[in-house]
Amino acid sequence: MQKFIVCIADGAADDPSLCPEGTPLELAETPVLDSMTRHSVAGLSYTIPEGYSPDSDVGNMSLFGYSPTLYHNGRAPIEAAALGLSVSADDLIWRVTFCRTEHGAITAPCASSITQEEGEALIQALNAECSDTSFTFVSNKTYRHLLIQKNGRLLLEEHNHNNGEQGLPAFATSGPHMLQGIPLETKLCCYPVPLQIIIKKASALLAEHSTKTNALWLWGQGSPYSLPDFATLYQTNGCVVSGIPLLHGLGYMAEMEVISHPSFTGLPDTDLKAKAQAALTFLQEPDNNIAFIHVEAPDHCGHLGDATGKKNAIERIDRELLPLLLQEMPDACITVTTDHLTPAATKAHAHGAVPFITYHPELPLQTSVRRFTEAECNKGVHLAKDTLLLDTLQDLTI
């Protein structure tokens, strides 16, 4: 069976209208990607269905071959799956993000300088402060954590019912990366009262205990759910190579092999060569035919407003990840794409079609799409909004 490698450069795409001097993809020097594009099927695909927030849980679920409209039920339960948490169906799991605020508005959507040890210590302090409540904080990774709300699903249903009777909309929230500069009180007042209290109480404690974070935000809520087994759905084994808990959770929920390592940091210093080697080792087995390699760095830089850092992260993929894959597995079908747009100008995710190329050395030479960029891929094929990119790969005739 054909070997497939899907390289996901998280948030690598940008909004050309916000980049008068060129997007990071356009400004990046990517000779390997340029060469691959000449022997590829290239174009645009949609990873975020209408009505869904343009976030990584939705986008990567789509890239893994699962329609979010059928399966998605919140981000936090995915991250809980990565930790192997056993949670009641009546409970609610919330994503906890440590951030920074000034004058009541988010200025830094993630306190990325917090170390693992500092994050764990803060979670311990939060649990000690909230020991007499129905809330339990769960440590995860640096600034990313979870909150379990006992019987939270039922309480949120009651909150939404009461809102409906008053002619108010159902509760909805966004991640802090989508709320930068917005007065948080305008969003906090929409939460059920017990959650308003816990957010304020916890934020005050963080400000007291740390100089790196002074607030937390709760979002991505949901009760536990599962995905169909990937091997059954696609008739082959798959793996996920990533340093991000969200991607680990998606992999575990789909019963794929999840490959991580301390050197997979989710930051610009992540070990790309080690990621490539991990995927190649997995694909050596005859029953293992699809490897997803996830690189968080472009998205991380986008949220910091660092367009140059984003460009550099893309160049590292071209320089360190792709050459090793091409050298060690020359007959593989390699897709390069992204899960959503993260314009550096706005520091937030955005809706829109994302570029992709699917390379194989035996594909005929094409010149209509010359580079892996937003504008160039717009000249290629446009997949329908309800088409999963993974399904098109399996239909590819080589």
Side-chain angles (χ1 to χ4, degrees), residues 48-162:
I48 310 296
E50 292 184 12
Y52 286 74
S53 180
D55 286 325
S56 292
D57 49 330
V58 180
N60 283 289
M61 180 180 286
S62 174
L63 291 175
F64 283 10
Y66 296 90
S67 171
T69 59
L70 296 177
Y71 299 112
H72 187 269
N73 190 32
R75 178 186 183 119
I78 301 173
E79 298 188 1
L83 297 176
L85 297 181
S86 179
V87 181
S88 166
D90 290 331
D91 295 345
L92 209 53
I93 311 167
W94 295 82
R95 163 68 183 272
V96 176
T97 301
F98 293 162
C99 51
R100 284 201 63 81
T101 63
E102 291 182 15
H103 308 297
I106 292 175
T107 53
C110 61
S112 57
S113 64
I114 288 180
T115 66
Q116 184 66 25
E117 294 75 16
E118 290 169 336
E120 291 175 358
L122 289 172
I123 290 296
Q124 289 181 1
L126 288 170
N127 275 326
E129 183 73 13
C130 302
S131 59
D132 59 343
T133 71
S134 60
F135 298 98
T136 302
F137 288 90
V138 179
S139 176
N140 196 352
K141 194 167 184 179
T142 62
Y143 65 86
R144 311 176 183 97
H145 304 283
L146 296 173
L147 177 70
I148 310 300
Q149 181 186 12
K150 191 69 176 174
N151 295 320
R153 181 179 64 82
L154 304 176
L155 293 172
L156 187 58
E157 288 176 356
E158 180 182 354
H159 176 79
N160 285 333
H161 175 75
N162 292 338

Side-chain angles (χ1 to χ4, degrees), residues 16-353:
S17 70
L18 301 176
C19 304
E21 297 182 1
T23 69
L25 281 175
E26 291 171 334
L27 295 175
E29 294 185 12
T30 54
V32 177
L33 261 172
D34 295 348
S35 176
M36 292 171 64
T37 301
R38 289 193 284 272
H39 290 277
S40 75
V41 175
L44 299 176
S45 73
Y46 288 88
T47 57
I48 310 296
E50 292 184 12
Y52 286 74
S53 180
D55 286 325
S56 292
D57 49 330
V58 180
N60 283 289
M61 180 180 286
S62 174
L63 291 175
F64 283 10
Y66 296 90
S67 171
T69 59
L70 296 177
Y71 299 112
H72 187 269
N73 190 32
R75 178 186 183 119
I78 301 173
E79 298 188 1
L83 297 176
L85 297 181
S86 179
V87 181
S88 166
D90 290 331
D91 295 345
L92 209 53
I93 311 167
W94 295 82
R95 163 68 183 272
V96 176
T97 301
F98 293 162
C99 51
R100 284 201 63 81
T101 63
E102 291 182 15
H103 308 297
I106 292 175
T107 53
C110 61
S112 57
S113 64
I114 288 180
T115 66
Q116 184 66 25
E117 294 75 16
E118 290 169 336
E120 291 175 358
L122 289 172
I123 290 296
Q124 289 181 1
L126 288 170
N127 275 326
E129 183 73 13
C130 302
S131 59
D132 59 343
T133 71
S134 60
F135 298 98
T136 302
F137 288 90
V138 179
S139 176
N140 196 352
K141 194 167 184 179
T142 62
Y143 65 86
R144 311 176 183 97
H145 304 283
L146 296 173
L147 177 70
I148 310 300
Q149 181 186 12
K150 191 69 176 174
N151 295 320
R153 181 179 64 82
L154 304 176
L155 293 172
L156 187 58
E157 288 176 356
E158 180 182 354
H159 176 79
N160 285 333
H161 175 75
N162 292 338
N163 276 1
E165 289 188 336
Q166 299 174 52
L168 299 173
F171 172 79
T173 189
S174 300
H177 52 284
M178 303 296 285
L179 301 175
Q180 295 180 77
I182 299 173
L184 283 183
E185 191 58 42
T186 63
K187 300 296 182 179
L188 186 60
C189 64
C190 300
Y191 281 72
V193 171
L195 288 159
Q196 295 184 39
I197 294 172
I198 200 73
I199 290 173
K200 291 179 178 179
K201 187 176 183 180
S203 295
L205 184 143
L206 292 179
E208 179 183 341
H209 283 72
S210 175
T211 60
K212 297 178 178 179
T213 176
N214 64 354
L216 64 71
W217 194 246
L218 302 179
W219 59 290
Q221 74 281 357
S223 295
Y225 64 101
S226 61
L227 295 174
D229 173 63
F230 184 88
T232 301
L233 202 60
Y234 287 99
Q235 300 300 302
T236 189
N237 296 327
C239 79
V240 180
V241 181
S242 177
I244 301 299
L246 173 69
L247 275 293
H248 299 164
L250 281 171
Y252 285 128
M253 289 172 69
E255 298 188 41
M256 284 192 272
E257 182 170 333
V258 175
I259 304 174
S260 189
H261 187 271
S263 66
F264 303 168
T265 63
L267 299 171
D269 65 352
T270 196
D271 192 336
L272 295 178
K273 291 182 179 178
K275 284 187 173 183
Q277 193 57 59
L280 291 166
T281 299
F282 172 83
L283 291 171
Q284 294 300 324
E285 296 297 324
D287 292 334
N288 300 347
N289 295 298
I290 300 181
F292 297 93
I293 304 176
H294 176 264
V295 182
E296 177 73 6
D299 185 66
H300 175 82
C301 294
H303 286 308
L304 296 177
D306 183 4
T308 300
K310 188 173 175 180
K311 175 186 79 73
N312 292 341
I314 294 164
E315 290 179 343
R316 279 199 65 213
I317 292 171
D318 190 79
R319 187 171 62 247
E320 300 176 31
L321 180 70
L322 296 176
L324 186 55
L325 298 177
L326 291 167
Q327 175 184 327
E328 298 297 324
M329 197 161 282
D331 294 328
C333 183
I334 302 176
T335 293
V336 181
T337 188
T338 182
D339 54 342
H340 53 66
L341 283 64
T342 307
T346 64
K347 305 181 183 180
H349 298 167
H351 287 279

Side-chain angles (χ1 to χ4, degrees), residues 324-391:
L324 186 55
L325 298 177
L326 291 167
Q327 175 184 327
E328 298 297 324
M329 197 161 282
D331 294 328
C333 183
I334 302 176
T335 293
V336 181
T337 188
T338 182
D339 54 342
H340 53 66
L341 283 64
T342 307
T346 64
K347 305 181 183 180
H349 298 167
H351 287 279
V354 299
F356 75 88
I357 66 163
T358 295
Y359 160 86
H360 191 276
E362 294 183 11
L363 284 172
L365 178 70
Q366 63 86 19
T367 57
S368 58
V369 178
R370 296 180 179 273
R371 300 193 67 211
F372 176 65
T373 69
E374 300 86 354
E376 283 293 309
C377 286
N378 188 44
K379 302 174 184 177
V381 299
H382 287 213
L383 299 185
K385 289 186 176 182
D386 59 351
T387 298
L388 296 171
L389 180 60
L390 189 63
D391 290 342

